[in-house]
Amino acid sequence: MKSLKIIGTGVSLPSRVLTNADLEKMVDTSDEWITERTGIRERRIADDDVSTSDLCADAIKNACADAGLEPRALDAIIVGTSTADTLFPSTACWVQGKLGLRGPAAFDVSAGCSGFLYGLELASALIVSGTATRVGVVGGEVMSKVVNWKDRSTCVLFGDGAGAAVVAAGKGDSGVLASNWGADGNLASILYQPAGGTQKPATHQTVEDNAHTVHMEGSTVFRHAVMAMSQAATSAMEEAEIKPDDVDLFVPHQANMRIMEVARERARLPREKMYVVLHKYGNMSAATVPVALHEARTEGRIKDGSVVVTTAFGTGFTWAGSVLRW
Ligand code: ACO
């Protein structure tokens, strides 16, 4: 077991709310369709002058305050995001600058919706190897700036936000009991942002074609997400020798209620153990897991000693599952 502890959590959620009723005025959709097919009722949207690093810096500050630390106590900052501030430098470097820090290692993990759990896995490795003592891991996105607001099949799904955790060496039996992560790059083009990188640099044509926005084959994503999320959760539980009865809370990536329900059923976990924030925030990609973990802690659903199973799936495709003892 990797003995470590999440000593603080925090979030940053824009105050502007976009409801399904608002979306009805923007595209040919209905509250009924969105609620039935996804479970989403509203989502948060960042102001035009807010970028991913603003939300991430705010979430890290809040997580450090929760841990009783100043951000300067961190010796590494890991940002999971698919909506980077800039192609270079990393969003983590922008975050570090906004926190007024100089020195801690700072880097991004590009693993889509699995970004926070990938980051947590890296933070565990850094701490267990003695390379770092306190790591800030944050998942943050401003999806609203990469969504095509004329495409009803994608624009209704996403929201903006960030969630962070401060991870430190632990005592006793808290930590990551087991984890499972992976990727299948053969399916990269099923869900991606086609233009803006070196494959297809920005041109007038790419802008005209809306190629800087989310392109997704929704039903293929759906099929793979269900399979990978349930397998990652089940494998981590088996490795940790944790039975469904031992689990206090299941915190899946919040993309679609139907994906979450099937993943939960396949992991043989009862409905009352699944924590849901999807209806309030939509799919915030890498931010959904840390935001849900923070809200579950705030509500008292996660306490010291709680066993939490978390799992995610995202662009790449990437997936990750972890069993944590808080
Ligand atoms: N409002 C009304 N109708 C819509 C909308 C909308 N917003 N979007 C699509 N439709 C229509 C389609 O045009 C289609 O109409 P047609 O039958 O006349 O052609 C019909 O609804 C059914 O479309 P489907 O795509 O088959 O609907 P489905 O039940 O598969 O739901 C959805 C679509 C919600 C996108 C689903 O496939 C999904 O959730 N996939 C996973 C995608 C996801 O979560 N991606 C996020 C990133 S990855 C991750 O986080 C895991």
Side-chain angles (χ1 to χ4, degrees):
M1 184 186 109
K2 301 162 188 167
S3 185
L4 48 93
K5 194 158 181 69
I6 295 179
I7 58 172
T9 56
V11 300
S12 178
L13 295 158
S15 55
R16 189 176 148 212
V17 175
L18 185 74
T19 64
N20 291 350
D22 296 327
L23 280 163
E24 284 178 355
K25 294 176 202 137
M26 296 163 62
V27 284
D28 180 14
T29 191
S30 65
D31 174 41
E32 192 190 358
W33 192 96
I34 302 170
T35 307
E36 273 179 14
R37 300 285 179 124
T38 71
I40 301 166
R41 294 187 178 275
E42 55 188 46
R43 66 290 287 145
R44 301 298 177 91
I45 304 293
D47 288 340
D48 288 348
D49 60 351
V50 170
S51 65
T52 297
S53 66
D54 292 308
L55 300 180
C56 291
D58 204 30
I60 288 195
K61 266 189 217 159
N62 292 335
C64 286
D66 184 42
L69 298 172
E70 291 294 327
R72 66 171 180 273
L74 301 175
D75 43 24
I77 295 169
I78 304 176
V79 174
T81 189
S82 344
T83 50
D85 273 34
T86 48
L87 280 180
F88 62 89
S90 67
T91 302
C93 284
W94 291 110
V95 169
Q96 196 202 47
K98 285 175 182 174
L99 292 172
L101 304 177
R102 185 176 176 278
F107 59 94
D108 289 0
V109 176
S110 178
C113 308
S114 312
F116 177 79
L117 290 182
Y118 263 53
L120 195 61
E121 191 67 14
L122 290 168
S124 318
L126 291 174
I127 288 168
V128 169
S129 67
T131 308
T133 50
R134 288 185 209 95
V135 181
V137 184
V138 55
E141 309 279 4
V142 178
M143 294 302 298
S144 61
K145 290 191 187 177
V146 300
V147 154
N148 176 356
W149 287 103
K150 291 189 176 123
D151 176 9
R152 67 176 183 174
S153 66
T154 51
C155 76
V156 302
L157 303 174
F158 297 101
D160 302 336
V166 178
V167 188
K171 295 189 198 103
D173 60 0
S174 68
V176 179
L177 303 188
S179 55
N180 177 282
W181 61 344
D184 183 355
N186 298 294
L187 299 167
S189 63
I190 302 291
L191 169 57
Y192 77 133
Q193 184 180 1
T198 53
Q199 268 186 13
K200 196 181 274 209
T203 61
H204 290 293
Q205 191 62 49
T206 60
V207 173
E208 225 163 81
D209 294 346
N210 256 317
H212 299 269
T213 60
V214 174
H215 285 243
M216 178 178 77
E217 291 172 32
S219 55
T220 310
V221 174
F222 192 101
R223 250 191 357 266
H224 286 270
V226 163
M227 214 157 49
M229 280 171 62
S230 52
Q231 274 171 8
T234 310
S235 303
M237 284 167 66
E238 276 169 13
E239 196 189 322
E241 296 180 3
I242 287 287
K243 302 266 173 288
D245 280 351
D246 305 325
V247 176
D248 293 300
L249 205 64
F250 178 52
V251 181
H253 166 52
Q254 321 254 322
N256 180 313
M257 195 61 184
R258 292 183 294 150
I259 296 177
M260 292 158 66
E261 279 292 359
V262 183
R264 176 189 66 72
E265 277 165 19
R266 291 195 187 168
R268 294 185 294 116
L269 294 164
R271 175 64 185 86
E272 62 274 14
K273 288 190 177 177
M274 184 164 80
Y275 195 73
V276 180
V277 295
L278 174 75
H279 54 295
K280 298 190 282 186
Y281 305 133
N283 182 353
M284 299 178 290
S285 184
T288 74
V289 168
V291 167
L293 290 174
H294 175 78
E295 295 207 350
R297 273 191 69 221
T298 309
E299 269 181 31
R301 298 281 305 270
I302 298 177
K303 306 183 191 75
D304 275 351
S306 294
V307 172
V308 179
V309 174
T310 175
T311 182
F313 177 86
T315 178
F317 290 149
T318 58
W319 56 85
S322 290
V323 182
L324 311 172
R325 185 178 287 119
W326 216 267

